[in-house]
């Protein structure tokens, strides 16, 4: 980049820093992003001495490296500070959320080992079902909390809560007001000796049906869950907070262009690079990258059009169950099983391994790696392993080869992975893994779940899914 362009970029930065310092009274944090500004370039503005004095620190004269002069008027921070939450004369937030707590079905979140079941207003539990060959499944479960603390709230506390702005939670850079439900008296914690407890934070999402978006253990045996709900969007105070943009008006002085010449050049270059990059993407037919559910998108640059912040509501991702299944099939979420010395882990489309953790160190034995060509060769040699017709298909088999060399056979280990549709009305989102070794260092892994049932018909003649 030319030196003159670099200097001009510092010129734009200096304007913003001067604005922020003026508005914040000098308490400027260079890493903050809560104050957003846009610069609007306008025609000449003549002011009297009295008008300039009245503006005070909000009046700023700027000169570019090309000796172009601009009179910039900074925003009035007093006006923005008077903004308040919108008035709401409709039902209270508790009344709006009642249908969610009356419904009978629950929401689920599946992770590599644990499955989480949230029955809204009733309980949250985590469980894992392990299944060994020829044995009954073993269920390991803990209740993280019961009930809804809001049911016992006093009317005085409810009124006080309604009169104040709701608390806000930052999720991927977006400020989301939340409605909190506390569940107490879960299974006793071995580490603290007290019952487990969970804070359920409901946030507005127009397509939300109570899905668990995020789960974390904020402290020992105390948990925090973020849940998406369309009901909450009916209350204006709980809609995502769109950050306000303060406008800086810069007026060209006599003899200067409407907009600095170097800025015009930079914008042209940016549009050219953006168009060239888009053409390359179209020519290569590159699949769109899967991005996090909470993201900021940037509208296309248009000259002299103010860039407003995007609507955060449109940036929440797809439903949790579909996303979880996609994560499994793309290998971004691995599945773990086993309850003995050796446990096992399947990263779909990557590898399957056995592992043991002791004193913080993990020992691994890789049972096989995914190789599409070797899978197809395995099907040619074993045609009985091919999927059955779609209307009667209950499972598909996949071949993982070239694992660690076996001490007994002196050959690489291999593993047949069978994804199996198993209806489970009691735990429809459970995933059970069962590993056996019918021949020395030749393994058979069964992965059972009702989640696989809707997609069995979508596998091709080789048992492969197009994801």
């Amino acid at each position: 980049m030319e030196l003159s362009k670099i200097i001009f970029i510092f010129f734009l930065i200096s304007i913003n820093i001067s604005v922020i310092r003026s508005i914040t009274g000098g308490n400027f944090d260079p890493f903050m992003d809560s104050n957003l500004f846009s610069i609007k370039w306008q025609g000449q503005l003549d002011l009297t001495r009295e008008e300039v004095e009245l503006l005070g620190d909000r009046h700023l004269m700027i000169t570019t490296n090309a000796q172009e002069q601009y009179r910039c008027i900074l925003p009035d921070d007093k006006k923005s500070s008077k903004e308040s939450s919108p008035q709401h004369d409709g039902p209270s937030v508790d009344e709006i959320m009642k249908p969610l707590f009356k419904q009978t079905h629950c929401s689920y979140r599946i992770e590599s080992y644990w499955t989480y079941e949230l029955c809204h207003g009733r309980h949250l539990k985590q469980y894992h079902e392990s299944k060994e060959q020829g044995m009954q499944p073993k269920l390991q479960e803990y209740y993280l909390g019961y009930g809804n603390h809001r049911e016992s709230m006093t009317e005085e506390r409810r009124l006080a809560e309604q009169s104040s702005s709701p608390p806000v939670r930052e999720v991927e850079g977006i400020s989301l007001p939340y409605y909190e439900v506390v569940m107490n008296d879960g299974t006793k914690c071995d580490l603290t000796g007290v019952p487990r407890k969970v804070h359920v934070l409901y946030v507005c999402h127009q397509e939300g049906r109570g899905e668990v978006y995020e789960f974390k253990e904020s402290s020992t045996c105390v948990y925090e869950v973020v849940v998406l709900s369309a009901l909450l969007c009916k209350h204006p105070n709980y809609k995502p907070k769109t950050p306000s943009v303060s406008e800086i008006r810069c007026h060209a002085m006599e003899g200067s262009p409407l907009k600095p010449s170097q800025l015009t050049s930079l914008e042209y270059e940016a549009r050219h690079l953006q168009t060239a990059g888009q053409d390359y993407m179209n020519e290569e037919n590159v699949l769109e990258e899967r991005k996090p559910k909470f993201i900021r998108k940037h509208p296309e640059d248009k000259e002299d059009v103010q860039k407003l912040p995007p609507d955060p509501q449109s940036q929440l991702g797809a439903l949790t169950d579909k996303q979880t299944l996609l994560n499994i099939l793309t290998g971004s979420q691995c599945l773990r099983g086993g309850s003995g010395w050796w446990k096992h882990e399947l990263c779909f489309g990557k590898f399957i391994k056995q592992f043991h953790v002791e004193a913080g160190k993990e020992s691994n034995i890789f049972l096989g790696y995914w190789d599409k060509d070797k899978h197809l060769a395995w099907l040619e040699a074993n045609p009985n392993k091919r999927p059955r017709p779609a209307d009667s298909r209950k499972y598909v088999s996949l071949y993982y080869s070239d694992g660690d060399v076996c001490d007994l056979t002196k050959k690489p280990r291999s593993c047949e992975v069978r994804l199996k549709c198993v209806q489970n009305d009691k735990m429809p989102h459970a995933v059970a893994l069962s590993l056996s070794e019918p021949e020395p260092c030749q393994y058979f892994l069964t992965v059972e779940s009702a989640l696989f049932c809707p997609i069995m018909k979508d596998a091709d003649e080789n048992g492969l899914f197009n994801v």
Side-chain angles (χ1 to χ4, degrees):
M1 185 180 290
E2 297 177 8
L3 179 60
S4 59
K5 292 182 179 180
I6 296 175
I7 294 174
F8 184 73
I9 290 174
F10 280 107
F11 155 73
L12 291 179
I13 294 173
S14 69
I15 292 180
N16 283 283
I17 292 178
S18 299
V19 171
I20 297 171
R21 279 179 174 155
S22 174
I23 292 177
T24 60
N27 298 321
F28 171 61
D29 179 0
F31 298 102
M32 70 181 179
D33 59 2
S34 57
N35 295 326
L36 302 181
F37 299 90
S38 67
I39 301 178
K40 190 170 185 179
W41 304 96
Q42 299 180 331
Q44 187 171 341
L45 175 67
D46 295 324
L47 297 177
T48 64
R49 183 187 298 272
E50 289 76 13
E51 289 173 327
V52 171
E53 291 177 352
L54 186 62
L55 287 171
D57 292 340
R58 294 178 53 218
H59 179 269
L60 192 66
M61 293 298 298
I62 297 294
T63 302
T64 71
N65 64 307
Q67 300 306 308
E68 302 159 330
Q69 290 190 325
Y70 296 87
R71 183 197 305 276
C72 294
I73 310 299
L74 308 187
D76 187 357
D77 61 309
K78 295 180 181 178
K79 291 183 179 180
S80 60
S81 63
K82 294 179 180 178
E83 296 180 359
S84 59
S85 300
Q87 295 295 323
H88 176 66
D89 298 327
S92 68
V93 64
D94 289 321
E95 293 172 331
I96 290 174
M97 294 296 288
K98 271 185 180 179
L100 181 65
F101 300 122
K102 287 184 177 181
Q103 69 184 21
T104 56
H105 63 272
C106 304
S107 302
Y108 295 84
R109 177 182 176 86
I110 300 173
E111 296 190 353
S112 60
Y113 187 82
W114 293 107
T115 297
Y116 298 91
E117 177 187 83
L118 174 61
C119 297
H120 304 279
R122 299 196 297 277
H123 71 256
L124 173 64
K125 75 173 180 179
Q126 65 179 32
Y127 62 89
H128 173 74
E129 185 180 43
S130 58
K131 187 175 182 181
E132 300 296 335
Q133 192 74 16
M135 300 179 65
Q136 290 293 325
K138 295 180 180 179
L139 182 64
Q140 182 183 11
E141 66 178 9
Y142 299 96
Y143 281 85
L144 309 185
Y146 291 96
N148 182 345
H149 84 291
R150 307 186 71 87
E151 295 178 351
S152 59
M153 284 177 61
T154 63
E155 190 64 25
E156 182 180 358
R157 185 177 175 185
R158 289 181 190 275
L159 293 174
E161 184 181 86
Q162 293 173 15
S163 63
S164 61
S165 298
V168 174
R169 169 77 143 72
E170 285 287 328
V171 181
E172 298 291 343
I174 299 175
S175 296
L176 298 174
Y178 63 84
Y179 173 83
E180 183 178 23
V181 170
V182 180
M183 294 181 170
N184 296 295
D185 300 323
T187 305
K188 184 178 179 181
C189 178
D190 296 333
L191 298 175
T192 64
V194 299
R196 288 170 166 83
K197 179 180 180 179
V198 60
H199 297 263
V200 185
L201 312 182
Y202 292 90
V203 298
C204 161
H205 178 235
Q206 294 292 351
E207 297 179 2
R209 297 182 300 172
E211 298 90 350
V212 177
Y213 173 76
E214 182 179 288
F215 178 92
K216 70 176 183 179
E217 187 172 2
S218 54
S219 60
T220 304
C221 294
V222 177
Y223 309 89
E224 183 179 279
V225 179
V226 177
V227 179
L228 310 180
S229 172
L231 292 173
L232 200 57
C233 301
K234 297 179 180 179
H235 198 297
N237 291 350
Y238 287 87
K239 292 184 178 180
K241 300 295 184 184
T242 302
S244 60
V245 178
S246 299
E247 183 180 88
I248 305 169
R249 292 179 290 114
C250 288
H251 303 267
M253 302 299 286
E254 186 176 357
S256 298
L258 179 66
K259 183 184 295 186
S261 57
Q262 291 297 327
L263 176 59
T264 302
S265 176
L266 283 173
E267 288 178 342
Y268 174 80
E269 183 177 321
R271 284 196 298 271
H272 175 73
L273 291 174
Q274 184 181 32
T275 303
Q278 187 62 46
D279 291 342
Y280 172 78
M281 291 290 286
N282 292 338
E283 291 173 5
E284 295 295 322
N285 193 26
V286 180
L287 292 177
E288 181 182 0
E289 178 185 2
R290 292 186 180 90
K291 297 182 178 179
K293 296 173 184 170
F294 290 82
I295 58 176
R296 293 186 183 271
K297 294 182 180 179
H298 301 281
E300 293 183 2
D301 290 344
K302 294 184 179 180
E303 189 170 351
D304 292 331
V305 175
Q306 180 178 341
K307 294 183 181 179
L308 296 177
D311 178 12
Q313 192 57 51
S314 64
Q315 300 160 14
L316 300 177
L319 300 180
T320 303
D321 291 349
K322 293 181 180 179
Q323 185 64 43
T324 298
L325 185 58
L326 182 63
N327 289 343
I328 292 173
L329 294 180
T330 57
S332 59
Q333 178 174 325
C334 300
L335 299 173
R336 289 190 171 188
S339 57
W341 176 269
W342 288 107
K343 295 178 173 58
H344 38 272
E345 179 180 65
L346 169 67
C347 292
F348 197 84
K350 296 179 180 178
F351 61 80
I352 175 174
K353 71 177 182 179
Q354 286 185 311
F355 67 95
H356 172 71
V357 179
E358 186 172 11
K361 295 183 178 180
E362 183 174 303
S363 301
N364 295 310
I365 297 177
F366 284 87
L367 309 186
Y369 295 90
W370 173 250
D371 186 311
K372 181 179 176 180
D373 292 337
K374 293 189 176 181
H375 167 73
L376 297 178
W378 176 72
L379 290 178
E380 288 293 330
N382 302 274
N384 60 315
K385 299 294 185 179
R386 289 189 177 276
R388 295 181 179 181
D391 55 355
S392 61
R393 186 180 302 156
K394 293 297 182 182
Y395 65 86
V396 295
S397 293
L398 303 160
Y399 184 64
Y400 286 66
S401 57
D402 294 330
D404 291 340
V405 174
C406 177
D407 294 335
L408 296 175
T409 64
K410 308 302 181 185
K411 297 179 181 180
R413 290 171 167 83
S414 62
C415 181
E416 176 184 346
V417 176
R418 177 171 291 183
L419 297 186
K420 188 174 182 181
C421 159
V422 175
Q423 296 293 350
N424 188 338
D425 296 333
K426 186 176 180 181
M427 286 179 282
H429 296 76
V431 180
L433 282 73
S434 175
L435 181 69
S436 61
E437 189 177 2
E439 299 289 339
C441 297
Q442 295 182 17
Y443 303 88
F444 189 91
L445 177 69
T446 303
V447 186
E448 300 179 350
S449 177
L451 283 173
F452 300 134
C453 297
I455 65 167
M456 277 296 151
K457 64 181 184 300
D458 299 327
D460 63 17
E461 68 276 9
N462 299 313
L464 305 178
F465 298 95
N466 183 21
V467 293

